[in-house]
Amino acid sequence: MSLKDEYLEKLKLQLDEWSADIDVLEVKARKAEAELRLKYEQQIEALKAKREEAKVRVGEVKESAGEAWQELKKGGDAAWENIRNAFEEARKKF
C-alpha cells in the first residue's frame, strides 16, 4: 500500500467516525427539550458542513497525480485538524 493509499484510508476512517458521531448527536438532539434541540440541530448542521468539507479534501487527494498529493496533504492536515477540533467541541457540548 502506498503512502497516499494509507493516508486516504486514515482520512476515510476518520470520516466514518465523524458520521457515527453525527448520528449519535442527532439522537440526543431528538430527545432534548425544544430550546436545546434548536441549538443541537444548529451544531449538527455545522458539523455536517465540516464533514462535507473533509470529503472534498479526500476527493482532492484521491484525484491528485504523482507527488502532488503530498502538497495537498500539507495544506489539508491543518484543515483536517480544524474539523477535528469542531467535532471535539461538539462532543463536549452534548
Side-chain angles (χ1 to χ4, degrees):
M1 183 179 284
S2 72
L3 290 175
K4 179 180 174 181
D5 291 336
E6 288 177 16
Y7 183 69
L8 283 170
E9 185 63 28
K10 175 184 155 190
L11 297 181
K12 288 177 187 176
L13 288 172
Q14 184 65 67
L15 280 172
D16 290 343
E17 182 182 318
W18 289 339
S19 291
D21 287 347
I22 288 172
D23 291 343
V24 169
L25 296 176
E26 286 178 324
V27 169
K28 287 183 178 183
R30 278 187 237 124
K31 293 179 181 178
E33 293 182 25
E35 185 177 318
L36 286 176
R37 185 178 306 133
L38 179 60
K39 289 180 182 180
Y40 287 166
E41 288 171 355
Q42 291 170 342
Q43 186 68 39
I44 289 167
E45 289 306 310
L47 292 174
K48 286 181 178 180
K50 293 283 188 184
R51 181 184 59 189
E52 291 307 310
E53 179 184 333
K55 285 181 181 180
V56 169
R57 297 265 183 205
V58 169
E60 289 172 350
V61 172
K62 188 175 183 179
E63 297 300 319
S64 64
E67 299 299 314
W69 77 271
Q70 290 180 347
E71 289 302 315
L72 288 171
K73 180 183 180 298
K74 289 177 188 175
D77 284 344
W80 205 261
E81 186 63 29
N82 183 10
I83 295 166
R84 181 175 300 140
N85 289 337
F87 272 86
E88 289 299 320
E89 286 300 313
R91 282 187 198 118
K92 290 177 187 175
K93 289 179 183 177
F94 281 86

